[in-house]
Amino acid sequence: MTSSSPDTTASHDSAATERFSPLHAAHVAAGASFTDFAGWQMPVRYSSDLAEHHAVRKAAGLFDLSHMAEIRVSGPQAGEFLDHALAGQLSAIDLMQAKYSLLLNSRGGIIDDLVVYRTGESEFLVVANAGNHDQALEALTSRSARFDVTVTDESDDTALIAVQGPNALAIVQATTALSTHADLVSLRYYRAITATFNGAPVLIARTGYTGEDGFELYLPNAQALDLWDALVIAGAPHDLVPAGLASRDTLRLEAGMPLYGHELTTSTYPAQAGLGRVVNLAKPTDFVGRTASEEGPSGDAPVLVGLVSAGKRAGRAGYEIFRSPDATEAEGVITSGALSPTLGYPIAMAYLPPALARLDTEVFIDVRGTRAPATVIALPFYKRRK
């Protein structure tokens, strides 16, 4: 999230070098189709996008997320440092708690969105997006200069496997040789516990990117293939299927979760993306991007909205949005869009000026030359039943 994978330790510095997950052999054996994702050859699907999407909503899906970046921050001033480096107050989170946060530039734009785990009193695990590995590592390293901390890139040594869906708990509980050090049933959302698999350390977090209940398991590369196989065996009675990046994208879109490079960029203020609450302006620490965040975007800056349409023709990323069927000037653009497999109608996220961002406002998407009406609604599009 090792085996005979061709190059699991290739340098991040070479964009021309293909990188392979420690689980690559399992994906090949399962008949996966692959796509390049931030230089990694990752499974985009095994059977069909729809089948994998529905499996996660109704039973469970198994994802390889080993392309993600894992950066360890440790030392006496680790909490104080992260309060300076990130938009949230990480020093305040509990031991084994996770927190969603943002890495901002000095202009208040988003370098990356991250999940941070407190794994010790003076130790944190920062999980960044694969495509922003270098940027996140460079920013954290440079910002650590005046703090008594060590920033260590553990990405090349760490595998990450996610089990997502209503049956995820039963599957992880039934996995042979996976020994947890606490009760999984009572593990709260955005909390983690330690475990072992065949004697190797595992961090199990109740987190995910699908809108369903689920777990993400971090462990050394050497044990990843065996754990994947053990999860497949444990999941067989629970209708677990391996799932690729295509279904992961439609799942996160239904859940209204932003994707870096689509909804989030270095020129996007968090408040525009509905993430203003993630920026903690009440914390006493001066953090990178604070002044720009306090000023905020201009009053007419576009904001992120949800759009729903009738029919089956979905707006896709990059499609323009107009005020009326005959308007000549585009008012906004879709950042992510698809025909929702769960809901059965087109959904999209888009940036629109505030005057068009009010709930129930009708706008028109240019879908290959045809103006398709769409209605602004609140995100997310889908919420799981508790």
Side-chain angles (χ1 to χ4, degrees):
M1 230 213 325
T2 143
S3 62
S4 57
S5 13
D7 185 10
T8 59
T9 58
S11 169
H12 287 276
D13 296 330
S14 173
T17 302
E18 282 188 330
R19 294 175 56 78
F20 296 86
S21 160
L23 296 164
H24 188 75
H27 306 321
V28 171
S33 299
F34 292 88
T35 187
D36 178 273
F37 190 90
W40 290 79
Q41 286 297 305
M42 298 300 293
V44 65
R45 69 183 57 82
Y46 299 83
S47 56
S48 79
D49 303 349
L50 283 176
E52 292 164 23
H53 181 108
H54 289 308
V56 174
R57 289 280 181 251
K58 297 175 182 178
L62 185 63
F63 295 88
D64 177 11
L65 308 180
S66 297
H67 58 310
M68 299 292 281
E70 292 86 14
I71 302 167
R72 184 81 55 184
V73 175
S74 57
Q77 292 185 299
E80 182 182 348
F81 158 63
L82 288 174
D83 285 352
H84 165 71
L86 304 181
Q89 190 169 8
L90 283 306
S91 64
I93 66 175
D94 296 332
L95 187 64
M96 302 306 285
Q97 182 180 357
K99 187 175 182 67
Y100 179 78
S101 195
L102 298 170
L103 180 67
L104 304 180
N105 58 28
S106 60
R107 302 181 303 279
I110 302 170
I111 297 174
D112 199 15
D113 63 329
L114 329 134
V115 175
V116 182
Y117 299 90
R118 188 170 203 153
T119 54
E121 289 299 329
S122 301
E123 184 175 272
F124 296 79
L125 179 65
V126 179
V127 182
N129 286 295
N132 290 331
H133 170 276
D134 294 351
Q135 296 91 323
L137 181 62
E138 190 281 328
L140 290 172
T141 301
S142 63
R143 295 175 191 186
S144 71
R146 63 182 178 87
F147 295 89
D148 186 5
V149 296
T150 301
V151 176
T152 306
D153 182 12
E154 298 183 349
S155 307
D156 286 341
D157 303 317
T158 306
L160 174 54
I161 300 171
V163 185
Q164 298 282 296
N167 296 344
L169 174 61
I171 292 165
V172 176
Q173 285 180 311
T175 301
T176 302
L178 183 63
S179 176
T180 59
H181 298 162
D183 180 21
L184 275 176
V185 175
S186 59
L187 184 65
R188 293 158 57 197
Y189 189 53
Y190 263 61
R191 296 295 193 279
I193 60 172
T194 58
T196 58
F197 177 73
N198 286 336
V202 182
L203 179 72
I204 303 178
R206 202 159 200 167
T207 50
Y209 191 56
T210 64
E212 295 296 337
D213 187 21
F215 300 88
E216 295 182 319
L217 298 89
Y218 299 82
L219 76 162
N221 284 346
Q223 284 74 38
L225 196 57
D226 286 342
L227 178 56
W228 180 275
D229 291 342
L231 287 164
V232 168
I233 292 169
H238 301 283
D239 298 323
L240 175 72
V241 303
L245 293 180
S247 62
R248 181 172 161 87
D249 190 49
T250 52
L251 289 159
R252 69 91 194 167
L253 173 58
E254 289 182 344
M257 295 177 171
L259 176 64
Y260 196 89
H262 289 247
E263 287 72 45
L264 309 178
T265 70
T266 53
S267 60
T268 306
Y269 281 90
Q272 290 178 265
L275 298 175
R277 68 190 183 284
V278 180
V279 182
N280 189 344
L281 294 174
K283 67 178 177 178
T285 309
D286 183 29
F287 62 91
V288 178
R290 180 172 194 134
T291 299
S293 297
E294 288 174 336
E295 294 173 355
S298 63
D300 58 355
V303 294
L304 189 66
V305 301
L307 295 174
V308 296
S309 310
K312 300 296 182 182
R313 300 186 69 187
R316 305 288 179 173
Y319 286 16
E320 292 182 321
I321 302 170
F322 295 82
R323 183 183 296 267
S324 66
D326 55 358
T328 57
E329 184 176 346
E331 300 280 355
V333 64
I334 289 179
T335 53
S336 298
L339 178 62
S340 167
T342 303
L343 304 173
Y345 50 78
I347 61 173
M349 289 194 282
Y351 278 96
L352 289 174
L356 293 180
R358 300 185 185 94
L359 296 182
D360 299 322
T361 299
E362 185 178 59
V363 294
F364 293 83
I365 303 170
D366 191 315
V367 182
R368 299 178 182 176
T370 300
R371 299 286 174 89
T375 303
V376 176
I377 70 164
L379 294 170
F381 303 102
Y382 165 86
K383 287 185 180 180
R384 69 181 176 93
R385 296 177 181 176
K386 301 295 184 181

